[in-house]
Amino acid sequence: MTPGSTADRPLLPFEDFEELADVAPKGVRLEYVDGHVRTKDSLSVEDFEELERRAPETVRLEYINGKLEVKAMPDGNHRSIFMWLLRQCMQHRPDLDLVPESGVKAEAYRKGRARTDGTLVPVDHFQGDGEWSDPDGSLMAVEITSRDRDTNQRDRIDKPIGYAEASIPVYLLIDRDNHTLTVFSEPEDGRYQRISPHPWGATVELPAPVNITLDTDKLKDYAD
């Protein structure tokens, strides 16, 4: 791996896998394969939600494209990028909240469970919800790539499909490997019809219903 590329490291240390396996619901059989956690049998959404509730605090789980996935813990630059975006959203749209670590019922028929890095919604939109919220009313989902080997499949392939199927109007992917922002919009028939990549440093227009103009020059400070 070259410096700055996605690191080839296991998302889940074996010690965390053992702790997760110990608390798995009856009938959910887990295995550890090449640094990944996998289920030996098909996993229902209900069993996933129970497993996620029981998981150790250091393990963040998602259910994407019918597969159990581990979401990487954010590092310092990841957190800084999120705060940069939060400040811009607050400045341009004080009527909205950019909610971090939001659990969204994604994919067709709400069969997926995605934990976004951020979800842009009207203020207090998630008030009264449980761990996983319906995507109705969400304006934008945000993902910031992490330093793990699964980010290509998860953030660049699976999640655009899941968020489009859930009819989230805009998906913003902030890609730390490629130093780009990609704006996915106009979801139709389970796919975003418009995909617009921009280099860090460009002025980026987030389309309706978001209607925010991002000055992305600051992102260059977080290149790693």
Side-chain angles (χ1 to χ4, degrees):
M1 288 282 173
T2 57
S5 64
T6 300
D8 187 15
R9 67 166 186 258
L11 267 175
L12 188 69
F14 185 69
E15 294 79 9
D16 286 346
F17 166 77
E18 288 185 311
E19 188 172 353
L20 182 65
D22 284 343
V23 299
K26 184 178 180 180
V28 176
R29 302 186 301 162
L30 304 178
E31 57 185 351
Y32 190 71
V33 180
D34 193 26
H36 296 76
V37 60
R38 295 287 181 255
T39 56
K40 294 184 178 181
D41 312 291
S42 60
L43 186 68
S44 69
V45 171
E46 292 75 18
D47 281 342
F48 165 78
E49 290 185 345
E50 181 63 25
L51 178 65
E52 197 277 337
R53 281 193 293 268
R54 298 183 182 191
E57 291 184 1
T58 56
V59 178
R60 304 187 304 164
L61 298 177
E62 298 181 292
Y63 189 57
I64 305 295
N65 197 23
K67 297 179 296 183
L68 181 65
E69 300 284 354
V70 176
K71 188 176 177 78
M73 298 296 289
D75 59 19
N77 279 358
H78 188 290
R79 293 191 294 270
S80 295
I81 290 171
F82 178 82
M83 292 305 300
W84 162 83
L85 182 61
L86 175 62
R87 288 191 296 271
Q88 297 226 31
C89 290
M90 291 179 64
Q91 177 183 352
H92 292 282
R93 294 294 305 270
D95 58 317
L96 302 177
D97 284 340
L98 183 63
V99 181
E101 295 293 315
S102 180
V104 173
K105 297 177 182 178
E107 302 181 13
Y109 311 110
R110 311 296 195 258
K111 291 295 186 181
R113 296 294 181 268
R115 192 174 299 281
T116 69
D117 286 324
T119 305
L120 191 68
V121 293
V123 170
D124 291 337
H125 179 73
F126 292 135
Q127 184 175 0
D129 283 4
E131 180 71 14
W132 304 99
S133 298
D134 280 317
D136 301 335
S138 297
L139 281 65
M140 179 172 71
V142 178
E143 297 292 348
I144 303 163
T145 60
S146 299
R147 293 305 190 204
D148 69 83
R149 59 190 174 188
D150 292 337
T151 198
N152 182 65
Q153 181 70 34
R154 182 182 61 245
D155 294 332
R156 302 185 186 114
I157 299 173
D158 290 339
K159 286 196 170 180
I161 295 173
Y163 295 147
E165 288 180 345
S167 298
I168 297 176
V170 178
Y171 169 43
L172 177 63
L173 174 61
I174 303 178
D175 197 318
R176 296 167 61 193
D177 288 331
N178 300 327
H179 299 161
T180 59
L181 288 86
T182 302
V183 182
F184 299 77
S185 59
E186 301 177 16
E188 184 178 337
D189 298 327
R191 295 292 187 275
Y192 286 108
Q193 303 303 306
R194 185 174 180 83
I195 302 173
S196 303
H198 307 271
W200 288 10
T203 299
V204 178
E205 302 284 347
L206 300 180
V210 178
N211 297 320
I212 292 174
T213 300
L214 297 177
D215 176 2
T216 71
D217 197 62
K218 179 64 176 177
L219 288 177
K220 297 176 183 178
D221 292 346
Y222 308 127
D224 53 7

